[in-house]
């Protein structure tokens, strides 16, 4: 799918489905929060949730006292859903409407989190463009958490290159709202 097709697809998903009707919905993003805690980043760390959609991770990060949280997604509808849910607390978040494959980061982050966005980039050129942006956005000593359905952490490590050390990888079986199981692989990397 090209960038225009992706945009139309995801805007339509968020316009037509309620938050808890999408297969990836989680009330509590526990695996992501465990891995964020494992990085040991302080509460003033700059964190970005890439392809964050309407996820509740941002709510949980704010609850935990993280003060510099950004959420990037190509769907303004998705971010709108999260903003509405958060109310006034949304003002504390940096909301970025962009396609990660063409995004030009204007700053760097201590922690990059992505649950199931890289997963949807099936074209090699898009995956390469993603990695280029990730390398621009995450400084040396920074952390990367990527969760993908059915993907081998070593293949992901090869994709990121030798700058990124795979320090943790765990599986999480996600029960979808319709009762199916999705096998997620969470990988955590440290940029050397
Ligand atoms: C399966 S959903 C996961 C949402 C969220 N991370 C979560 O765990 O609930 C994938 C998300 O990635 C976004 N997305 C897909 N391709 C993207 C791209 N190229 N750039 C930015 N966001 C993208 C979609 O709009 C969608 O919100």
């Amino acid at each position: 799918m090209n960038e225009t097709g992706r945009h139309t697809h995801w805007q339509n998903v968020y316009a037509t489905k309620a938050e808890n009707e999408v297969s990836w919905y989680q009330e509590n993003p526990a695996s992501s929060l465990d891995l964020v805690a494992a990085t040991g980043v302080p509460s003033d760390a700059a964190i970005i949730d890439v392809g964050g959609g309407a996820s509740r991770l941002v709510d949980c990060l704010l609850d935990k006292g993280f003060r510099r949280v950004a959420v990037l997604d190509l769907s303004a509808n998705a971010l709108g859903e999260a903003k509405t849910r958060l109310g006034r607390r949304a003002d504390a978040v940096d909301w970025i409407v962009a396609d990660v494959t063409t995004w030009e980061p204007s700053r760097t982050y201590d922690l990059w989190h992505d649950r199931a966005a890289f997963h949807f980039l099936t074209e090699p050129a898009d995956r390469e463009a993603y990695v280029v942006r990730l390398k621009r956005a995450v400084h040396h000593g920074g952390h990367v958490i990527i969760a993908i359905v059915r993907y081998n952490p070593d293949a992901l490590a090869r994709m990121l290159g030798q700058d990124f050390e795979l320090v943790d990888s765990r599986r999480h079986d996600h029960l979808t709202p319709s009762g199916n199981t999705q096998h997620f692989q969470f990988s955590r990397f440290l940029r050397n």
Side-chain angles (χ1 to χ4, degrees):
M1 208 187 289
N2 65 18
E3 193 172 336
T4 312
R6 260 201 303 272
H7 183 260
T8 308
H9 169 76
W10 288 106
Q11 280 286 73
N12 184 47
V13 167
Y14 286 103
T16 55
K17 294 199 184 221
E19 183 191 12
N20 60 359
E21 284 175 349
V22 293
S23 64
W24 55 90
Y25 171 72
Q26 285 184 302
E27 193 174 332
N28 175 20
S31 297
S32 297
L33 291 168
D34 281 354
L35 285 171
V36 169
T39 65
V41 294
S43 54
D44 64 351
I47 300 178
I48 184 162
D49 189 16
V50 172
S55 163
R56 292 177 176 236
L57 179 63
V58 57
D59 312 36
C60 297
L61 292 172
L62 294 175
D63 289 345
K64 290 190 177 300
F66 289 104
R67 302 192 289 276
R68 295 164 66 209
V69 182
V71 183
L72 177 146
D73 203 283
L74 53 71
S75 167
N77 288 344
L79 299 185
E81 226 174 87
K83 283 188 209 174
T84 302
R85 188 182 64 236
L86 281 163
R88 300 265 322 260
R89 295 212 297 163
D91 296 345
V93 177
D94 187 13
W95 303 98
I96 305 170
V97 179
D99 187 305
V100 64
T101 64
T102 50
W103 174 51
E104 297 297 341
S106 58
R107 50 153 308 145
T108 59
Y109 296 87
D110 302 299
L111 171 53
W112 170 293
H113 173 273
D114 167 352
R115 173 174 177 267
F118 178 77
H119 170 83
F120 279 95
L121 299 174
T122 49
E123 296 295 327
D126 286 335
R127 293 193 156 194
E128 280 160 28
Y130 175 106
V131 173
V132 167
R133 268 66 196 181
L134 183 152
K135 287 181 175 165
R136 279 188 203 152
V138 179
H139 55 72
H140 292 272
H143 306 267
V144 177
I145 296 167
I146 300 181
I148 307 186
V149 178
R150 296 190 186 285
Y151 206 79
N152 173 339
D154 295 323
L156 190 55
R158 277 197 298 279
M159 184 87 219
L160 296 186
Q162 43 181 292
D163 259 17
F164 292 84
E165 183 190 347
L166 178 64
V167 285
D168 198 347
S169 103
R170 18 184 123 164
R171 298 189 61 158
H172 171 72
D173 285 345
H174 167 63
L175 188 63
T176 71
S178 58
N180 297 318
T181 302
Q182 287 176 348
H183 303 292
F184 270 92
Q185 178 77 48
F186 281 78
S187 303
R188 179 165 70 88
F189 299 88
L190 177 65
R191 182 165 200 185
N192 293 315

